[in-house]
Amino acid sequence: MSPNKEFWSSSKGFVLAMAGSAIGLGNIWRFSYIMGKYGGAAFMLVYLAAIFLIGLPIMLCELSLGRASGKGPLEAMTELAPKKTKLSFLAAVALILCATAFALKGLYFYAGTCGFFALGALLFGWGFLGFTVTFLTPLMIAVFYSVVGGWIIVYAIISPMGRIFREPAFSAELLDNIVTASGSQFWVTIAAALAFFLATAFIVMAGVQKGIERFSKIFMPLIFILIVAIIIRALTLPNAHEGLRFLFLPDFSKLSAEGVMAALGQAFFTLSLGSGVGIAYGSYLGRSSSLPKTACTIVIMDTFASILAGLAIFPLLFSTGLSPEEGTSLVFKVLPVAFGKLPLSPLWGTLFFLMLLLAALTSSISMLEGAVQGIMQKLYLSRAKAVILLIIVLGPLVPLTAVSAANYSNVPKLGQFFTETLKLRSESFFAILDNTTCLWLMPLAGLMTLLYVSYVWGNKSALEEMNCFNAFDWLFSKMWLFVVRFISPVLVIMAFLKGLGIFF
Ligand code: PHE
């Protein structure tokens, strides 16, 4: 089934849509809070290594699987090779071992999760990996992403009034209430998160690829211009150099095992890997594009966006005396202070949050696209009905996540349930979704994809799919195959072991 083959109007349209998916809240909101939490430059180096040695190779795997199969993430792998192989069986055995280890430690929730994955791998082989990257991971991300998207909607609405920029004390309290869904903002935050989620769903329902392409073309450059304006302002503030030191002078003593895992997770999140997007979007790509060139362009654009965001946020942070360890609300507290220092702050503020909203939407749309494609194929539903099904299933989770962002201070019973009954270490449902997807599901799916391409689908087919046009493409593809087979999987496994405290 390939009615979508002509989907992207051009290679450039595809690059923009993929960049639209990659560049989003991950580059500004998540990158800065994670980097603040794990200590700056040393983290950044691990992150960059993860981007180029793990992220780029996996993106190429995903794009080539999508294009070669012509199918979305749900069926791509079972289309190209047998459903069950020795490797899928081995993965199931490894998962059973993990489940046993967790059960022995009394961590029954994690044990159950591993057991669930083991069963899936045993019964459905590679089809289960397809299921995970189509439904599980991207939809979990879509839920917590909607909460952050909701914060941005509220910011975009209150920015034109200008008070949050003029009165720091007022803004500190209001903003705190928004990101923690407390006090007067309880319902506002819930409504905004739902609004973001529904907006995403309706755009996907309308079949917006053309819209996304057009949006991205106009708004992506604009967001870059705005970030550069903020960088210039930030760098001319007193103490800005502290921010630069934090960004660029590595202090490896600050790098924890957790930090290494976080860098890996961030690399996956920011490039939208291990969540079906590359396969879904790749399935709409024409044969004439060279994959090495497109993948490199997307990865470089995304990395550039994150570094620019860091250049804007950290100098600002140090010059305003805020702590980089603020957590998920970091940019939401820092940016209004920054805009307050610019002339015409309500204008810049509003523009910026609107841009951010658009960047967030081009990402969140990509989270739903693979699932919608999968539902349409499997249940023979129309696009509209597939989206409605998603709204019914996911919708209720959005408010739950929104109110949990503040450690359940508003709904302590729910908090107790998660931390005491289920014995989850993470403090909120929001954090659970964020951590589970970025630290576990995405890297694991990435690892399995690497192994699938090397040992199941095979190097020869993968190389053919690259479409090499010149010596660079060819050399790059050869190197890529080597990295996919021998380097990236080893690095992902090492990061896991380090994260679990088993390795160095
Ligand atoms: N890459 C997006 C961002 O940086 C997030 C994302 C993750 C999008 C997974 C799709 C799938 O904001």
Side-chain angles (χ1 to χ4, degrees):
M1 198 180 91
S2 54
N4 299 318
K5 278 284 145 181
E6 301 304 315
F7 196 78
W8 304 114
S9 59
S10 61
S11 207
K12 193 173 153 210
F14 164 73
V15 169
L16 279 173
M18 269 305 282
S21 167
I23 300 176
L25 300 178
N27 303 68
I28 297 174
W29 159 71
R30 201 171 188 281
F31 179 68
S32 54
Y33 103 73
I34 291 279
M35 176 124 126
K37 192 165 162 197
Y38 294 109
F43 171 89
M44 170 105 112
L45 286 179
V46 182
Y47 164 78
L48 287 176
I51 288 278
F52 288 100
L53 293 175
I54 301 170
L56 177 59
I58 294 181
M59 180 173 286
L60 269 165
C61 290
E62 293 190 352
L63 295 181
S64 49
L65 286 175
R67 187 166 73 176
S69 65
K71 300 250 171 157
L74 189 59
E75 293 179 326
M77 279 164 277
T78 45
E79 173 82 12
L80 294 171
K83 238 187 200 168
K84 293 184 193 171
T85 64
K86 270 188 213 135
L87 198 62
S88 66
F89 180 71
L90 270 180
V93 172
L95 284 164
I96 291 171
L97 289 179
C98 290
T100 318
F102 281 130
L104 288 177
K105 280 190 168 181
L107 297 166
Y108 298 115
F109 181 78
Y110 291 108
T113 312
C114 284
F116 171 72
F117 279 95
L119 195 67
L122 274 181
L123 292 179
F124 304 105
W126 293 100
F128 193 67
L129 179 59
F131 171 81
T132 310
V133 298
T134 307
F135 296 117
L136 216 55
T137 315
L139 299 185
M140 282 166 79
I141 297 174
V143 170
F144 77 81
Y145 211 79
S146 297
V147 174
V148 187
W151 300 343
I152 296 173
I153 294 184
V154 182
Y155 272 55
I157 293 175
I158 56 179
S159 288
M161 298 169 226
R163 199 166 160 205
I164 55 164
F165 307 117
R166 281 192 308 269
E167 297 171 34
F170 163 80
S171 84
E173 197 197 323
L174 179 74
L175 305 184
D176 217 42
N177 282 343
I178 293 169
V179 294
T180 59
S182 354
S184 56
Q185 303 305 313
F186 185 73
W187 293 109
V188 173
T189 306
I190 292 179
L194 275 173
F196 183 89
F197 176 69
L198 289 178
T200 306
F202 285 123
I203 302 173
V204 174
M205 192 187 277
V208 279
Q209 283 72 13
K210 281 242 165 72
I212 300 175
E213 281 190 41
R214 220 176 308 139
F215 258 174
S216 310
K217 257 188 208 145
I218 305 170
F219 292 113
M220 284 312 204
L222 233 113
I223 200 160
F224 273 101
I225 294 173
L226 280 167
I227 291 185
V228 171
I230 306 175
I231 293 177
I232 295 171
R233 177 68 261 212
L235 291 180
T236 49
L237 289 171
N239 255 346
H241 61 276
E242 285 295 327
L244 294 180
R245 282 171 72 112
F246 183 81
L247 259 182
F248 295 118
L249 270 187
D251 173 358
F252 284 98
S253 64
K254 278 197 195 155
L255 190 68
S256 58
E258 232 181 272
V260 173
M261 277 290 277
L264 182 76
Q266 177 60 16
F268 275 88
F269 187 80
T270 194
L271 295 176
S272 315
L273 299 173
S275 52
V277 175
I279 307 183
Y281 279 21
S283 73
Y284 303 138
L285 183 63
R287 298 260 148 214
S288 59
S289 308
S290 135
L291 290 185
K293 204 176 113 203
T294 24
C296 286
T297 316
I298 297 158
V299 170
I300 289 172
M301 277 169 80
D302 183 78
T303 308
F304 190 56
S306 292
I307 293 178
L308 281 186
L311 270 177
I313 289 160
F314 288 99
L316 210 64
L317 193 91
F318 282 90
S319 76
T320 47
L322 283 161
S323 154
E325 281 151 42
E326 194 69 46
T328 45
S329 57
L330 187 128
V331 285
F332 291 93
K333 290 190 176 154
V334 174
L335 283 174
V337 181
F339 290 125
K341 291 180 193 280
L342 290 173
L344 301 177
S345 48
L347 178 73
W348 289 112
T350 313
L351 269 180
F352 182 82
F353 287 117
L354 281 178
M355 298 304 123
L356 204 53
L357 191 60
L358 292 170
L361 278 171
T362 55
S363 298
S364 59
I365 290 163
S366 72
M367 293 164 205
L368 300 192
E369 181 58 34
V372 169
Q373 200 184 13
I375 295 176
M376 287 164 67
Q377 282 169 5
K378 279 281 173 202
L379 303 182
Y380 304 105
L381 289 180
S382 66
R383 182 170 269 270
K385 286 200 179 125
V387 174
I388 291 174
L389 190 66
L390 277 187
I391 295 179
I392 294 171
V393 176
L394 291 184
L397 292 178
V398 175
L400 193 75
T401 315
V403 297
S404 84
N407 302 346
Y408 293 105
S409 55
N410 294 313
V411 267
K413 286 239 164 69
L414 214 60
Q416 257 169 15
F417 173 72
F418 279 114
T419 50
E420 284 164 30
T421 315
L422 293 184
K423 288 207 176 55
L424 291 170
R425 270 182 296 154
S426 310
E427 64 284 22
S428 70
F429 192 49
F430 181 95
I432 291 166
L433 289 179
D434 184 328
N435 290 338
T436 319
T437 49
C438 296
L439 300 183
W440 297 100
L441 291 180
M442 296 170 117
L444 266 178
L447 178 64
M448 291 314 289
T449 308
L450 288 165
L451 297 178
Y452 178 89
V453 167
S454 297
Y455 302 103
V456 181
W457 190 34
N459 280 355
K460 203 167 152 268
S461 323
L463 195 61
E464 265 165 27
E465 195 54 46
M466 285 295 106
N467 257 16
C468 300
F469 288 134
N470 50 39
F472 167 80
D473 285 354
W474 190 81
L475 198 71
F476 186 91
S477 302
K478 282 280 185 197
M479 268 165 52
W480 168 69
L481 282 179
F482 179 80
V483 172
V484 164
R485 191 168 263 246
F486 300 109
I487 307 218
S488 316
V490 176
L491 289 178
V492 177
I493 291 171
M494 270 167 64
F496 270 131
L497 293 181
K498 185 159 169 98
L500 289 170
I502 299 171
F503 195 66
F504 60 138

